[in-house]
Amino acid sequence: RYYNCMWCQRSKKKHKRWNDDAILIVKGHFVVMQSKEGKDMCKSGSFSAADLASLKDGQTLQMSGKEIEVGSEIASDEYESGQCFIGTLPSAAATATTQHHTPVLSGGFKKLRASDGSAVAARTGADTGPGSGEASTAASRGSVRAPRLPTPRHSVEGANALVFPRPPPGCARSAGGGRPVVDVVLDPLLTAHLRPHQRDGVTFLYRCVMGFVETGCGAILADEMGLGKTLQCIALVWTLMRQTPYWEGPPTCRFVLIVTPASLVKNWAKEFKKWLGDERLKVLAVSEETRVEEFK
């Protein structure tokens, strides 16, 4: 089985500072953690198969001096196709100027070949071991070219995937600078926590804020207290700051300003930390001690 996860160095601190996202592979009593580039980071066979069989979102594991928090489960076909790695592959321009990315990509897809046979071997084309020379370079270049097709950041076929509407013809933001349209999919990290009415609410907010409705831009979310409006807004903010409906275009927005009564400022900061952690998004809670000018 495969899981999204976060990891940090093992620490006794109450508040963890997670280093990065990763992929966790569980087979029997054996666990492997791979980076988002597909490179093995650590592995261990000292776990109980019974304990690993009942892994749940939010559970923690410790191995090789690292603490790992398990996230949402990844479908086998999504991992074996390399879909969960595609969102982190560099663009052609970045590859041309940063040559050291190539062996990382090649090594990542080679790992998939080892577990899946010939299906992914056709994409990598050659071994990357010593002596492979130009053949391995050609194979890694091929693995970079393959994801050049418009591919969403997150899989549209994942469990409970929330796929937002595409820009309708003639809408205010349908131009996209000539770029092809790509699906915008809510991060599975958040999708796993949304109830049905929240999924509808986030979709409603996205359509209105993106100008995909005839009545203009903007929206009012008028749910009663306790129905999860804050989480819906955080899901919208995280999506807009990381994705765009136009392939390889910049994120829809770079900064978001939340205006709220002074008594709720810290609550909003805590909610962002609760759902996204400290490492994914920088949040500045403006107060008497902190000024807007300090945000960099």
Side-chain angles (χ1 to χ4, degrees):
R1 303 192 310 282
Y2 309 97
Y3 299 87
N4 289 301
C5 69
M6 298 186 298
W7 68 274
C8 66
Q9 297 300 327
R10 188 180 298 177
S11 169
K12 294 183 179 180
K13 293 181 179 180
K14 181 178 179 181
H15 301 291
K16 308 294 183 184
R17 187 169 184 84
W18 302 102
N19 289 32
D20 205 353
D21 294 333
I23 304 294
L24 200 66
I25 307 170
V26 179
K27 295 182 180 180
H29 65 89
F30 200 77
V31 176
V32 178
M33 185 170 73
Q34 290 184 342
S35 68
K36 281 292 188 175
E37 289 78 30
K39 182 179 180 180
D40 285 358
M41 299 176 63
C42 58
K43 59 182 70 176
S44 174
S46 61
F47 294 98
S48 163
D51 291 340
L52 294 178
S54 58
L55 273 183
K56 296 180 180 179
D57 189 352
Q59 191 170 341
T60 57
L61 301 174
Q62 294 187 354
M63 63 178 181
S64 303
K66 295 180 175 61
E67 186 166 344
I68 303 165
E69 181 172 311
V70 180
S72 57
E73 187 167 359
I74 301 172
S76 297
D77 56 350
E78 181 180 344
Y79 175 86
E80 292 168 358
S81 67
Q83 183 71 39
C84 55
F85 300 104
I86 287 176
T88 61
L89 295 181
S91 64
T95 308
T97 57
T98 315
Q99 297 298 329
H100 67 273
H101 281 171
T102 299
V104 175
L105 288 170
S106 179
F109 280 89
K110 184 187 173 189
K111 297 295 181 182
L112 296 181
R113 182 187 64 175
S115 62
D116 190 45
S118 60
V120 183
R123 296 180 63 183
T124 56
D127 210 325
T128 56
S132 57
E134 294 182 0
S136 65
T137 303
S140 62
R141 287 174 181 169
S143 65
V144 173
R145 284 197 300 268
R148 298 298 296 171
L149 293 174
T151 307
R153 186 181 182 91
H154 305 290
S155 173
V156 299
E157 299 178 354
N160 300 316
L162 176 53
V163 183
F164 292 107
R166 289 191 167 201
C171 79
R173 300 189 180 186
S174 63
R179 297 185 176 94
V181 174
V182 65
D183 285 316
V184 174
V185 184
L186 182 62
D187 192 327
L189 178 75
L190 298 177
T191 307
H193 300 285
L194 293 184
R195 290 171 283 177
H197 76 275
Q198 291 174 309
R199 293 171 63 95
D200 293 341
V202 175
T203 303
F204 163 76
L205 290 175
Y206 180 82
R207 292 179 60 247
C208 294
V209 171
M210 292 295 292
F212 293 173
V213 293
E214 297 180 357
T215 54
C217 297
I220 297 176
L221 188 61
D223 283 342
E224 296 180 0
M225 290 183 62
L227 293 181
K229 296 186 295 297
T230 303
L231 176 55
Q232 294 176 61
C233 293
I234 290 174
L236 175 69
V237 168
W238 179 239
T239 300
L240 297 180
M241 295 188 71
R242 285 296 181 271
Q243 301 185 59
T244 173
Y246 305 107
W247 175 237
E248 293 192 327
T252 303
C253 59
R254 295 179 57 206
F255 302 98
V256 172
L257 176 65
I258 297 177
V259 180
T260 181
S263 60
L264 298 179
V265 170
K266 291 184 178 180
N267 289 343
W268 272 90
K270 290 179 181 178
E271 287 294 310
F272 271 100
K273 182 176 180 179
K274 173 183 176 181
W275 298 111
L276 295 175
D278 290 324
E279 76 289 345
R280 292 186 176 87
L281 195 66
K282 181 179 179 182
V283 176
L284 176 67
V286 179
S287 64
E288 294 180 355
E289 294 80 22
T290 57
R291 300 168 59 87
V292 176
E293 290 79 8
E294 297 178 18
F295 187 80
K296 296 180 181 179

